[in-house]
Amino acid sequence: QVQLVESGGGLVQAGGSLRLSCLASGSAFTLNTMAWYRQTPGNQREWVATITGGGSAHYPDSVKDRFTISRDNAKNTVYLQMNSLKPEDTAVYYCKAHNVISLRDYWGQGTQVTVSS
């Protein structure tokens, strides 16, 4: 079982930056591939970034070169640094843990990011 708590969302102007954090508890953190997703009303959750236990990061083209995912295994925390934010980045951002042993997924409660134009 993994519990995830996101923080760091808020309101920012276009072109600004935010850093989201996701604190994980309940199981060996390094056994989890961590990811960020986002969702707007009426739409499916969209993948934003992934980082493996070994630190390999992956992004879709929509956020590549603007967003950076990182993890601090000593603090059981994954981060999403978001730069050059655009109004279309407005969404609820969710943290996900994928346990590579059990293959189970765990989600946080989400944090709202709003980018004003």
Side-chain angles (χ1 to χ4, degrees):
Q1 194 78 8
V2 178
Q3 294 80 42
L4 303 171
V5 179
E6 301 100 332
S7 61
L11 174 64
V12 64
Q13 288 189 330
S17 299
L18 278 176
R19 189 177 81 155
L20 306 182
S21 300
C22 174
L23 175 64
S25 61
S27 75
F29 185 62
T30 54
L31 293 180
N32 293 285
T33 293
M34 302 300 295
W36 288 96
Y37 285 73
R38 64 188 181 187
Q39 188 172 25
T40 53
N43 294 305
Q44 292 184 336
R45 285 186 187 180
E46 175 191 15
W47 170 58
V48 173
T50 296
I51 187 165
T52 66
S56 179
H58 305 275
Y59 310 90
D61 289 343
S62 58
V63 305
K64 199 172 184 180
D65 299 326
R66 297 190 299 122
F67 290 9
T68 302
I69 189 171
S70 61
R71 65 191 294 162
D72 185 334
N73 290 334
K75 295 183 178 179
N76 284 6
T77 301
V78 63
Y79 304 98
L80 184 68
Q81 178 67 43
M82 304 185 293
N83 299 328
S84 302
L85 282 162
K86 305 174 181 180
E88 52 263 43
D89 294 318
T90 295
V92 178
Y93 283 71
Y94 295 90
C95 177
K96 187 187 87 169
H98 173 75
N99 188 285
V100 299
I101 303 299
S102 69
L103 304 183
R104 290 187 65 178
D105 291 336
Y106 303 89
W107 293 90
Q109 82 288 350
T111 186
Q112 176 70 48
V113 171
T114 302
V115 184
S116 64
S117 56

